[in-house]
């Protein structure tokens, strides 16, 4: 079965000087939930941005392909690419407090993609939005549709963003640390909501996070990133049973366990970091030759 | 605070402001050297002529007494009589107000349109040569004051390439069949586009001279806040929905970026109205500013007083209007 999203040999750099992503290969099949983990600066968010076409201006794609539903994004005209991404993919952003436009009402922010990009009738988009708000368990959806973002809580706003992401029935959703900015109590509900929605709609999910605890709850497969290089690509069962890379094993050792909250944590040992850095250097040398 | 209560409070503070302005101006123009009597005396007038004239205009009383008499008149709608023309001040001032209002509003419109277009273009093509060019032009426009722009424009479009009129408000040979003094406005309503064209040809250069510095300020500030807004998460989210750059700038970024600009435009617009005094003089435009200068030259105390009060009233009204617009545009201020 061919994957819905395929990334092949993706190299992204900062103005051609500093490598950000190093020949990344990644595939997400229809309905698959893939975790994308790594520490800060590993480039995990940049993969999501590359897919959705929102890389910062200073970053450029040096080489490699991104295939979304079989279409090579780099070869498309910008307008067609945007529309394809808008129709088939969606983003659940990290911070619900900044991801809704404070000057616009909630309703249009959910329905705009349906009407403007996908050509739905306004009434159909409206009832779809109400239905989705109901689905993410927002009480009184009519009132919420008329509200401005500042009138709603962070948890509410993240539910709205989730509803909005699912509105066009995308085949792939990129969730960029969707629970990081939330209260711990709300985190759990939101995580469960994303998992339920994903299961119900059969959407593929690329879940960007640094939290292995979250990964174990929601993901089926996992990609471990270090310095923009894919260190490991595996299933959840294999990863937690026997991580295939020393860095993965060290990450796992550095994750607090719910079963043993007072157990001591081992930071990633320097030797492992040195080894991973050596791997990056070796990769860069091989590329230059 | 409910909007009604806010309005009421503003009304009260407006009166306090106007009263303060009245007191200060009243005292200052009577304390500075030079007085109207000296201006109207024929050579060789005697001491009792001066005293008689002073008594005639009520200038023999003490300043507080004069002020109370003046204030009493104002409360009954009488702003006194002009010393030079012997006409009621209120009538004189109101006859010139429409010309100045039309000029300032036209300048404001030019500034907002030009500044807005520059800001949007600079944001759309940010990081390139066009943006750099806009920045340079802004710097130039800002570093030259409006009256110098007036002179530059007169040289360019009045002398070297005479396409616009450089003097007056309307050509003297044109009959004005109007019932108000808002000529520009009324010429449109009456569909007299021949007169309208003549008015615009007179008004364009002074309005442009007033507008250039303000346009530069608007362009600079709006572009800056647009660029900051373009990095925010909701703009990124809109991009992932499939929207292009133009849509994102206008619908997502602009409504938020416009708020800080609006406050500044309000303040700057009051400066612009102040600028009409010199610009009207430069272009011999028959507005309030021109009248104000004549009044000062002739030491026409009641007229100066009336004009300044009117300017103060316009300033406070502009500020009130800005506050209301701000509240209308910013949903976070609308309720509560």
């Amino acid at each position: 079965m061919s994957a819905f999203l395929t990334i092949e040999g993706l190299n992204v750099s900062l103005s051609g000087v500093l490598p950000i992503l190093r020949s990344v290969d990644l595939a997400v099949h229809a309905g698959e939930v893939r975790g994308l983990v790594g520490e800060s600066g590993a480039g995990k968010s940049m993969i999501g941005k590359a897919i959705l076409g929102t890389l910062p201006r200073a970053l450029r794609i040096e080489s490699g392909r991104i295939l979304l539903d079989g279409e090579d994004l780099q070869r498309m005209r910008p307008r067609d690419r945007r529309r394809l991404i808008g129709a088939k993919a969606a983003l659940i952003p990290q911070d619900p407090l900044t991801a809704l436009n404070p000057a616009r009402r909630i309703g249009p922010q959910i329905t705009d993609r349906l009407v403007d990009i996908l050509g739905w009738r306004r009434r159909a988009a409206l009832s779809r939005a109400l239905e989705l708000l109901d689905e993410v368990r927002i009480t009184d959806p009519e009132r919420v549709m008329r509200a401005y973002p500042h009138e709603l809580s962070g948890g509410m706003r993240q539910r709205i963003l989730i509803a909005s992401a699912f509105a066009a029935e995308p085949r792939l959703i990129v969730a960029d640390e969707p629970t990081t900015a939330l209260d711990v109590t709300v985190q759990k509900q939101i995580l469960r909501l994303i998992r339920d929605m994903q299961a119900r709609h059969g959407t593929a999910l690329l879940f960007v996070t640094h939290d292995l605890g979250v990964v174990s709850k929601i993901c089926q497969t996992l990609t471990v990133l270090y310095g923009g290089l894919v260190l490991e690509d595996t299933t959840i069962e294999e990863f937690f049973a026997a991580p295939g890379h020393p860095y993965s094993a060290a990450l796992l050792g550095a994750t607090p366990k719910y079963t043993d909250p007072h157990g001591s944590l081992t930071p990633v040992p320097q030797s492992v970091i040195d080894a991973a850095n050596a791997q990056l250097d070796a990769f860069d040398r091989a590329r230059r030759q | 605070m409910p909007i009604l209560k806010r309005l009421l409070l503003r009304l009260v503070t407006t009166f306090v402001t106007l009263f303060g302005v009245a007191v200060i101006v009243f005292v200052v123009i009577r304390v500075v050297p030079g007085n109207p009597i000296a201006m109207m005396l024929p050579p060789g007038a005697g001491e009792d002529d001066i005293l008689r004239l002073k008594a005639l205009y009520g200038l023999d009383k003490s300043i507080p007494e004069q002020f109370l008499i003046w204030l009493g008149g104002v409360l009954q709608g009488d702003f006194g009589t002009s010393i030079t023309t012997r006409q009621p001040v209120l009538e004189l001032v109101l006859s010139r107000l429409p010309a100045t209002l039309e000029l300032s509003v036209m300048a404001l419109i030019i500034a907002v349109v030009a500044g807005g277009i520059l800001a949007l273009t600079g944001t759309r093509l940010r990081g390139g040569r066009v943006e750099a060019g806009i920045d340079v032009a802004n710097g130039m426009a800002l570093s030259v004051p409006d009256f110098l722009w007036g002179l530059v424009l007169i040289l360019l479009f009045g002398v070297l390439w005479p396409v616009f009129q450089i003097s007056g408000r309307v050509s003297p040979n044109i009959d004005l069949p109007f019932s108000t003094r808002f000529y520009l406005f009324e010429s449109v309503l009456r569909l007299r586009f021949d007169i309208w064209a003549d008015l615009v040809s007179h008004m364009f250069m002074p309005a442009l001279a007033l507008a250039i510095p303000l346009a530069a300020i608007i362009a600079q500030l709006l572009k800056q806040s647009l660029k900051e807004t373009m990095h925010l998460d909701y703009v990124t989210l809109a991009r992932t929905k499939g929207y292009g750059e133009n849509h994102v700038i206008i619908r997502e970024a602009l409504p938020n970026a416009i708020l800080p600009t609006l406050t500044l435009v309000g303040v700057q617009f009051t400066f612009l109205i102040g600028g009409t005094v010199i610009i009207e003089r430069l272009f011999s435009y028959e507005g309030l500013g021109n009248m104000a200068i004549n009044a000062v030259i002739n030491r026409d105390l009641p007229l100066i007083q009336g004009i300044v009060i009117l300017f103060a009233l316009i300033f406070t009204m502009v500020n009130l209007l800005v506050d209301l617009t701000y509240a209308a545009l910013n949903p976070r201020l609308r309720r509560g």
Side-chain angles (χ1 to χ4, degrees):
Chain A
M1 180 171 115
S2 80
F4 181 72
L5 168 78
T6 313
I7 297 179
E8 290 170 354
L10 185 67
N11 283 292
V12 170
S13 77
L14 179 64
S15 351
V17 184
L18 188 70
I20 302 293
L21 294 179
R22 293 170 153 104
S23 195
V24 167
D25 291 323
L26 186 85
V28 182
H29 293 84
E32 175 183 346
V33 181
R34 175 173 287 274
L36 192 53
V37 301
E39 50 191 272
S40 303
K44 49 192 192 304
S45 285
M46 290 306 145
I47 293 181
K49 287 183 194 300
I51 298 165
L52 295 170
T54 56
L55 279 177
R57 289 178 156 229
L59 298 193
R60 56 164 207 258
I61 296 183
E62 302 285 336
S63 60
R65 298 202 299 167
I66 302 174
L67 299 170
L68 191 69
D69 203 14
E71 304 229 40
D72 188 339
L73 293 183
Q74 257 47 60
R75 291 195 165 183
M76 298 177 78
R77 299 213 323 268
R79 183 186 150 89
D80 297 340
R81 177 170 61 224
R82 285 199 306 265
R83 293 194 162 238
L84 178 80
I85 292 168
K88 305 221 162 164
L91 170 72
I92 299 177
Q94 174 167 4
D95 186 354
L97 299 183
T98 57
L100 288 165
N101 191 332
R104 299 177 61 206
R105 292 178 196 276
I106 297 296
Q109 298 198 52
I110 302 177
T111 57
D112 55 2
R113 177 198 328 238
L114 302 178
V115 175
D116 299 340
I117 306 295
L118 299 167
W120 287 35
R121 282 175 187 285
R122 201 162 290 276
R123 183 172 300 176
L126 215 63
S127 64
R128 168 78 176 151
L130 287 172
E131 195 182 295
L132 275 159
L133 287 181
D134 197 46
E135 206 178 321
V136 296
R137 291 190 282 281
I138 279 178
T139 48
D140 201 356
E142 277 94 356
R143 187 187 64 82
V144 169
M145 294 275 279
R146 283 192 305 272
Y148 283 97
H150 70 274
E151 298 167 303
L152 307 168
S153 71
M156 285 266 268
R157 291 192 226 180
Q158 191 59 297
R159 285 167 190 278
I160 288 163
L161 287 162
I162 291 168
S164 172
F166 280 92
E169 285 296 350
R171 307 269 309 276
L172 170 74
I173 287 180
V174 177
D176 189 2
E177 310 229 16
T179 57
T180 311
L182 299 171
D183 282 348
V184 184
T185 47
V186 185
Q187 271 186 17
K188 250 180 145 175
Q189 302 167 13
I190 293 295
L191 200 61
R192 195 177 308 138
L193 179 67
I194 294 177
R195 196 182 56 197
D196 292 351
M197 292 285 283
Q198 183 276 331
R200 200 171 320 134
H201 294 262
T203 320
L205 193 61
L206 185 63
F207 202 98
V208 179
T209 180
H210 57 258
D211 188 343
L212 285 174
V214 168
V215 166
S216 68
K217 286 200 194 61
I218 189 166
C219 299
Q220 300 150 4
T221 51
L222 181 66
T223 301
V224 181
L225 217 60
Y226 181 82
L229 191 70
V230 174
L231 293 186
E232 185 170 11
D233 187 338
T234 178
T235 64
I236 290 298
E237 292 79 13
E238 279 176 37
F239 180 81
F240 283 97
H245 193 280
Y247 178 77
S248 308
L251 268 190
L252 213 48
T255 305
K257 289 172 188 60
Y258 290 102
T259 48
D260 182 16
H262 301 294
S264 63
L265 295 177
T266 331
V268 177
Q270 191 59 42
S271 61
V272 174
I273 293 175
D274 290 343
N277 284 335
Q279 202 175 335
L280 293 187
D281 288 342
F283 175 87
D284 289 347
R285 263 199 309 281
R287 253 200 100 200
R288 272 198 294 274
Q289 280 157 12
Chain B
M1 231 190 306
I3 205 97
L4 205 69
K5 200 172 157 194
R6 216 157 51 190
L7 267 176
L8 218 66
L9 196 72
R10 278 306 280 263
L11 219 59
V12 173
T13 53
T14 299
F15 277 115
V16 175
T17 309
L18 290 181
F19 184 79
V21 169
V23 171
I24 291 170
V25 175
F26 202 89
V27 173
V28 167
I29 57 179
R30 278 165 177 76
V31 169
V32 292
N35 67 67
I37 308 298
M39 303 294 297
M40 57 180 78
L41 282 176
E47 192 68 21
D48 18 314
D49 294 326
I50 297 180
L51 285 179
R52 262 192 295 123
L53 271 174
K54 273 196 169 177
L56 178 64
Y57 291 104
L59 296 171
D60 52 344
K61 301 193 172 63
S62 72
I63 292 182
E65 262 179 291
Q66 289 182 38
F67 184 74
L68 284 180
I69 293 170
W70 178 82
L71 194 65
V74 166
L75 292 178
Q76 294 163 34
D78 175 15
F79 281 78
T81 309
S82 159
I83 294 180
T84 37
T85 67
R86 310 280 166 93
Q87 283 173 283
V89 165
L90 192 63
E91 199 176 286
L92 278 175
V93 164
L94 288 183
S95 74
R96 290 293 188 97
L97 177 66
T100 296
L101 280 185
E102 282 191 348
L103 180 65
S104 344
V105 170
M106 177 127 162
L108 180 67
I109 291 171
I110 295 176
V112 167
V113 170
I117 289 175
L118 284 177
L120 290 171
T121 314
T123 310
R124 180 67 181 82
L125 304 170
R126 61 189 176 283
R129 279 196 202 148
V130 174
E131 196 199 353
I134 289 175
D135 286 341
V136 171
N138 277 347
M140 272 171 54
L142 273 175
S143 51
V144 178
D146 48 13
F147 57 89
L148 273 185
W149 280 120
L151 289 174
V152 170
L153 290 174
I154 289 178
L155 260 179
L156 288 179
F157 301 115
V159 178
L160 292 179
W161 185 43
V163 282
F164 294 110
Q165 305 289 332
I166 57 172
S167 167
R169 189 182 180 198
V170 66
S171 297
N173 55 349
I174 286 185
D175 273 336
L176 294 168
F178 296 152
S179 50
T180 70
R181 286 180 177 267
F182 288 95
Y183 296 156
L184 193 70
F185 188 65
E186 203 174 334
S187 67
V188 174
L189 285 188
R190 290 181 188 262
L191 306 176
R192 290 293 305 270
F193 293 108
D194 51 330
I195 300 180
W196 183 82
D198 185 71
L199 286 163
V200 168
S201 146
H202 280 86
M203 198 189 274
F204 184 73
M205 283 204 291
L208 190 60
L210 289 167
I212 287 174
L214 182 56
I217 292 174
I218 293 175
Q220 208 170 40
L221 188 76
L222 185 60
K223 180 161 74 73
Q224 191 54 41
S225 47
L226 272 173
K227 279 173 76 178
E228 280 163 20
T229 313
M230 291 303 284
H231 294 295
L232 297 181
D233 290 349
Y234 56 81
V235 173
T236 306
L237 189 64
R239 287 184 202 283
T240 70
K241 289 175 178 173
Y243 290 111
E245 192 73 10
N246 292 339
H247 178 102
V248 161
I249 291 176
I250 289 170
R251 201 164 83 182
E252 301 286 339
L254 189 60
N256 293 290
I258 211 162
L259 293 174
T261 315
L262 183 70
T263 317
L264 189 92
V265 168
V267 176
Q268 291 294 329
F269 182 53
T270 56
F271 290 157
L272 186 152
I273 295 174
T276 57
V277 173
I278 293 177
I279 288 293
E280 285 181 4
R281 192 67 174 181
L282 199 59
F283 288 89
S284 310
Y285 185 88
E286 293 122 32
L288 266 183
N290 216 341
M291 183 186 256
I293 291 183
N294 285 332
V296 171
I297 290 174
N298 295 323
R299 296 286 186 273
D300 192 339
L301 303 185
L303 189 55
I304 299 177
Q305 187 82 8
I307 293 174
V308 172
I309 293 286
L310 188 62
F311 269 115
L313 185 67
I314 295 174
F315 280 31
T316 50
M317 287 299 118
V318 168
N319 281 327
L320 179 64
L321 207 65
V322 168
D323 281 6
L324 291 178
T325 321
Y326 197 92
L329 287 183
N330 188 349
R332 277 163 289 190
L333 287 182
R334 217 169 290 163
R335 266 172 245 176

